[in-house]
Amino acid sequence: LRTLFLSSCVLGGGAGWSLYYLLRHLDRTLVDPLVVVPERGIFGTRFDALGLRVEPAARLHHRTAELRFGTRNRATAALSFAWNVWDSARLVPQLAHLMRREKTQLLYCNNMMVKAIGALASQLAGVPCVFHVRNLHQQWAKVKLYGNLARLPRVRRVIANSEASAVPYRRYVPGKVTVVHNGIDLAEYHPEVTPRGSLRRQLGISPDATVVGFTGFITPRKGLVPLIEAAARLLATRPTLVFVVVGRVPVGAPVDHQAEYQARARELGIADRFLFAGFREDVRPAVVDFDLLVLPSFQEPFGRSIIEAMALGTPVVASRVGGIPEILTDGADGLLVAPGDVAGLAQAIAALVDDRERRRSLAQAALARARTSFDVSVLSARIQALLLEAAAA
């Protein structure tokens, strides 16, 4: 099955990593992939190792709001948005031509940014299309836009990474929707084979310290403000406690939220123990150095950082929001709190910081759940079957 995989996520993030692992576990005797991305990004050498054909598309952007000028203001932001939309419109016939040239039999759209482009190009080329939904569409305009795109006859299947992200599509195309959770490569994410201690050495953190960590993009929806406020409550009475944020502001983001959060940590007098460690292509050495991982999101379609921590034997505190309750059962293999509840978040973190045995028991249960429910080889086989089915239909 000649399949074109279209994605704008090549600089990190859950959607990019999920696509990489899907491509890695495809049965190449059944699926012949061509990958179209804005650039090779952090996956270039990984794509080469898989023997993939990769075509960079200059008119495909990481974000529709990606700034195209050296200075940001209202005018340059508006012009950048219009320029990127125009590029996307011009990319549609080019993509259709590429599919005809390559005799493509299926188009797979990996993330939100490429769905409109892919849906229109598939109609133009007469090629079946599959949406992989990895976002929560909560604004009325986006729900209507993507719901109606999914109604197009060439869009044969909508794969959602959680029941939460599937909700808008079930309203428009219930017969096309299937939920397949994101998976984790259990051979790579294994607590016994990942070296420990490197993050603590790099940051000068004592081996005896208790480290509460976060991994992911530094954006408001990830809930770092409540985490900073909760940290301020806990650090005053726990001298060996340290918080570490691993990640960066998304490329093209309109605001440098990291600078804002660092300033807030300074205001609260905790900047020396609330550390920003920067972006890491490989988060495993960081996560195994955490005593627990916290994901206090306000919005989360799935939460890939959670299953990474589970597979590495690191206990998790997370928000009861979006797809997260589909991953964790509160009190059994993790702790869940209401999004934005600073007091509840501080209490949940304290419950694990102060109780090593409870951390251990939750981590063991989470590891077992990761191995039975989130094995990427099993989940990729399910996705592959859906791709074959969509093309055959």
Side-chain angles (χ1 to χ4, degrees), residues 170-214:
R170 291 201 188 280
R171 186 184 312 169
Y172 283 82
V173 288
K176 294 183 180 182
V177 179
T178 302
V179 172
V180 182
H181 288 141
N182 292 341
I184 197 78
D185 193 313
L186 298 173
E188 286 190 354
Y189 285 79
H190 196 292
E192 296 177 7
V193 300
T194 304
R196 298 174 183 270
S198 62
L199 180 78
R200 293 179 183 242
R201 287 192 299 272
Q202 291 167 11
L203 300 180
I205 299 173
S206 166
D208 299 324
T210 302
V211 178
V212 176
F214 165 94

Side-chain angles (χ1 to χ4, degrees), residues 245-374:
V245 172
V246 174
R248 67 180 173 194
V249 176
V251 172
V255 178
D256 183 359
H257 292 290
Q258 179 171 325
E260 291 183 1
Y261 301 154
Q262 287 175 311
R264 182 56 180 155
R266 286 194 297 271
E267 289 173 9
L268 294 172
I270 61 172
D272 60 331
R273 293 165 63 198
F274 197 101
L275 310 177
F276 288 81
F279 173 72
R280 313 287 172 102
E281 284 191 22
D282 185 358
V283 298
R284 290 173 296 171
V287 176
V288 294
D289 271 5
F290 297 161
D291 291 287
L292 64 146
L293 178 132
V294 182
L295 187 64
S297 301
F298 289 101
Q299 183 208 65
E300 197 65 59
F302 182 76
R304 183 173 185 84
S305 62
I306 294 176
I307 60 172
E308 290 173 342
M310 293 167 71
L312 290 169
T314 301
V316 177
V317 174
S319 296
R320 188 183 293 103
V321 69
I324 292 176
E326 299 173 39
I327 306 172
L328 295 172
T329 301
D330 187 28
D333 47 28
L335 297 183
L336 298 179
V337 299
D341 180 0
V342 173
L345 181 60
Q347 184 178 4
I349 294 171
L352 297 188
V353 165
D354 299 337
D355 190 340
R356 185 188 298 267
E357 180 56 31
R358 192 174 186 199
R359 293 203 305 266
R360 187 190 65 80
S361 64
L362 286 178
Q364 286 182 339
L367 178 58
R369 166 106 167 112
R371 288 174 174 172
T372 57
S373 301
F374 302 113

Side-chain angles (χ1 to χ4, degrees), residues 24-74:
R24 180 173 173 175
H25 287 273
L26 285 175
D27 182 346
R28 300 285 285 277
T29 66
L30 297 176
V31 180
D32 176 20
L34 170 63
V35 181
V36 175
V37 287
E39 58 180 286
R40 292 163 62 82
I42 67 171
F43 298 104
T45 57
R46 293 178 174 88
F47 287 157
D48 290 343
L50 297 178
L52 294 169
R53 292 186 300 150
V54 179
E55 290 228 6
R59 292 195 172 96
L60 180 58
H61 300 287
H62 304 285
R63 299 162 58 91
T64 310
E66 186 175 320
L67 189 66
R68 307 293 293 275
F69 302 91
T71 304
R72 176 175 292 278
N73 54 47
R74 288 186 178 181

Side-chain angles (χ1 to χ4, degrees), residues 195-254:
R196 298 174 183 270
S198 62
L199 180 78
R200 293 179 183 242
R201 287 192 299 272
Q202 291 167 11
L203 300 180
I205 299 173
S206 166
D208 299 324
T210 302
V211 178
V212 176
F214 165 94
T215 62
F217 281 134
I218 299 176
T219 64
R221 76 174 182 88
K222 291 292 186 178
L224 283 166
V225 170
L227 181 59
I228 293 169
E229 302 289 338
R233 298 187 181 202
L234 298 171
L235 289 169
T237 56
R238 294 168 176 82
T240 62
L241 183 59
V242 179
F243 286 75
V244 177
V245 172
V246 174
R248 67 180 173 194
V249 176
V251 172

